[in-house]
Structure formats: structure tokens, C-alpha cells
Amino acid sequence: MRTEREPRQERSRATRARLLEAAVACLAERGAPGTTVGAVAERAGVSRGAAQHHFQTREDLFVAAFDSMADGLIEGLRRLMEDLPEGPGRVEAMVVLLFDVFSGTEFQAALQLWTGAASDPDLHPRVVPLEQRVGREAHRTAVEVLGADESVPGVRETVQATLDLARGLGLANLLTDDTARRHRIARQWAVMLGRELGRGPDA
Amino acid sequence: MRTEREPRQERSRATRARLLEAAVACLAERGAPGTTVGAVAERAGVSRGAAQHHFQTREDLFVAAFDSMADGLIEGLRRLMEDLPEGPGRVEAMVVLLFDVFSGTEFQAALQLWTGAASDPDLHPRVVPLEQRVGREAHRTAVEVLGADESVPGVRETVQATLDLARGLGLANLLTDDTARRHRIARQWAVMLGRELGRGPDA
């Protein structure tokens, strides 16, 4: 039994992952109104029936896609920690990468879901708790990445500002490529952040 | 002739203003896909024919609404300057008001148009130049409001970061009321900004 069930479960997991990946791409490209279970199934190369086996409604698909985007963002943030050089330029490298993560496809899909939820009463109550969870996790990861001591007055708000700035820069990258300007702002932000966290930008 | 034409022109201007106001409210509430010339005419209490006399297409209406939102945002920023107290707490009062302006209905409508344009090839090329114009004007106004000297290295990027942070905070206010958190961040940002511009937060 076991040997037969496992490949089937694996195939099911792979199908689900393909659908979520297609949902994120579809949201980023066509927005929430253009993202239906049917459109996502087609993009994923999965039959509509198989897609509906995984996600009964559009809202179910959105919620799962948001979770998957959030995981992508958080994973991106965690990767920062591992790959960053110690010593000179660490804070700057960290800020540049953090801002770049929030300017990628996952965040653009999340933006579409966010603004979609603002105008969709069915979606709104389902997106709010996800947004809060992702906000908390992104904050916790940023505190860890930056090695910030939140018991120092102002440090918690500085970390929050870093993430809100990252979201604002993600928005600025939605219609045109804003990379050059974003990197200039990241360099300046690294100087201010390093000073606020009690370290130089190269600490 | 003159006396007859003027009231008609005035009526026409008033109708146009009502339509734009309704378009901003409709965008903020229903998003770009839910904002049609018909829906806006109905909300404004204007006949569909009269609405179409002013705006032939949805895109024309959006462009004019975006212009009107931008004027609302810039006007809000300029009002900051006039009403702010001199002396202690000026920078903090400025930042709080700036962030509040970007968390209002106009910015939420602009957000809907932004994300709508990302997934609408007809809208995209028309929104990009508007976004750039508004970005430039908001920047110029912020420099003026803050009394920032952009010849000092880093100051230009600090002003840009202030506006990008304002946009990120506006996004955070889209689905839930984020006012308390935003004001805590504004107080901390005022400290950092005052230091960066070579003044205390109370300067």
C-alpha cells in the first residue's frame, strides 16, 4: 500500500505546487480579478477538475497562494543571513538584498491580492489575518537578520520603518524598473540604520 | 452671450468635478476593474451621456482622476507647510501629517490604479507618466516642506526614502486601520530625519 500511495501523494504535492506557482505569476501579471481557478489551471498545465480538487474556490486558491508568496519572501529574507559577508559592507548588502526581495514577483502578486481584497468583501476577511501573520514573520526575520536589540528605545520602530520602506519601494517598482534609484536609497538607508542600531554602515 | 455661456461652463465644471470625486471614491472602494464610466456616473448622480461627454473612455476618466488625486495629495502636502507650528516638534508634526496624507482615500485610489495598470496593457502606458509626474511633484514639495538642502550628500535619498516610507505605510493602512503604529514610526522617523538633515527632531 505504502509504496503505491507515496508516489500518488508526491504527484498531488507537485500538482499543488505547480498551481500555486502559476497563481502567483497570474496574480502578478493579471491582478486578482483576472486570476480564476480556470486561468491558473490552464497556466499550470493542469486540468480544471484537478485544480478544483485542490482548491474549491478562488478564495481558497488566493489564501494558499498568499501563504506560498509569504514563504517565498521569508525564505528570501533568511537566505540573506546565510549569504552575507561578515565585516565591511554587511549592513549595506543586507539592506540592498532586503529591498530587492520586496521588489520581486512574489511581492507584486501580494500587492495585487492586497488591493484586490480592499475591493472584495469575500476576500477581505481572509487576507487580513494572512497579512498580519506575514507582517509578524517578516518583522521577526528582519530583527534576526539585522541583529537588532528591540529593548533599546526606537529600535523596534526603526525595524518596522525598514520593512515599510521596503514595501514602498516594492510599489515603486511595480510599473517601471526602479532598481538604480532603489539601490541609491538602500545605501543611504544603510548609513542611517547602522547609526541607529549603534553600528557603522560597515559594522 | 457671455452671461449665458458662463453658467453653462460653470455647470460643466461642477459636473466634471463631481465625476472625478466619484471616480476617486469608486477606485478606492471597488478597484480599477469595478470602476466604469457608468458606475462613476451613477455614483455622481450624472447621466451616462453627460459623463461620456466629459470622458469618452474609462482610461480618460482614470487619467483625469489620477491627476485630481495627485492634486489632492500635493495640496495636502502644501497645507502641511502653512499650518505647522514653528519651533519645537515641527519635524515630528510634519512627518505625522505627511504619513497621514498618504494613508487617505486619494492614495488608496491611486494604489488601485497603480496595481490595475500593472495588469492592464491599455492603462499601463497612460499611468506611467502620471506616476512619474506625481513622484517629481511630491519630491519637490517634500524638499520645500522639510527645508532640505539636497546639495548635501545623502539628503536627496533621505527625502526619497521619506516618501517611499509614506507609500509603504499607506499600503499598510489599506485593509486595516494602522494609525497607532504609523504614528509611532513617524515619531522615530522624525528623530532620524532631524538628525540626517542636521537638525534635532524639534528644530
Side-chain angles (χ1 to χ4, degrees), chain A residues 73 77 80 94-104 107-108 111 114 138 142 158-174 178 181-182 185-186 189, chain B residues 160-161 163-169 171 189:
Chain A
L73 276 172
L77 284 174
L80 300 184
M94 208 178 288
V95 173
V96 167
L97 282 169
L98 175 68
F99 290 175
D100 283 351
V101 165
F102 276 88
S103 292
F107 184 73
Q108 291 183 356
L111 259 182
W114 245 326
T158 304
V159 174
Q160 288 177 325
T162 304
L163 287 166
D164 285 298
L165 175 55
R167 289 184 198 107
L169 289 167
L171 186 60
N173 203 56
L174 186 63
D178 192 42
R181 193 186 73 99
R182 181 172 69 250
I185 292 174
W189 181 246
Chain B
Q160 288 177 325
L163 287 166
D164 285 298
L165 175 55
R167 289 184 199 107
L169 289 167
L171 186 60
W189 183 251

Side-chain angles (χ1 to χ4, degrees), chain B residues 12-34:
Chain B
S12 171
R13 264 200 298 274
T15 301
R16 193 173 189 279
R18 271 222 307 288
L19 285 165
L20 292 179
E21 201 182 312
V24 170
C26 195
L27 272 168
E29 198 180 286
R30 301 170 59 172

Side-chain angles (χ1 to χ4, degrees), chain B residues 96-173:
Chain B
V96 167
L97 282 169
L98 174 68
F99 289 176
D100 283 351
V101 164
F102 276 88
S103 291
T105 307
E106 280 91 359
F107 185 72
Q108 291 183 356
L111 260 182
Q112 293 290 351
L113 204 49
W114 245 326
T115 53
S119 59
D120 181 334
D122 291 334
L123 205 51
H124 190 285
R126 299 198 63 179
V127 170
V128 168
L130 294 173
E131 187 201 351
Q132 287 169 343
R133 180 178 74 73
V134 175
R136 275 196 306 272
E137 278 183 33
H139 184 88
R140 199 181 312 131
T141 309
V143 167
E144 208 179 312
V145 171
L146 295 166
D149 177 2
E150 292 200 303
S151 70
V152 177
V155 165
R156 182 175 175 74
E157 288 73 22
T158 303
V159 174
Q160 288 177 325
T162 304
L163 287 166
D164 285 298
L165 175 55
R167 289 184 199 107
L169 289 167
L171 186 60
N173 202 57

Side-chain angles (χ1 to χ4, degrees), chain A residues 125-143:
Chain A
R126 300 198 62 178
V127 170
V128 168
L130 294 173
E131 187 201 351
Q132 288 169 343
R133 180 177 77 73
V134 175
R136 276 196 305 273
E137 277 183 35
H139 185 88
R140 198 181 313 132
T141 309
V143 167

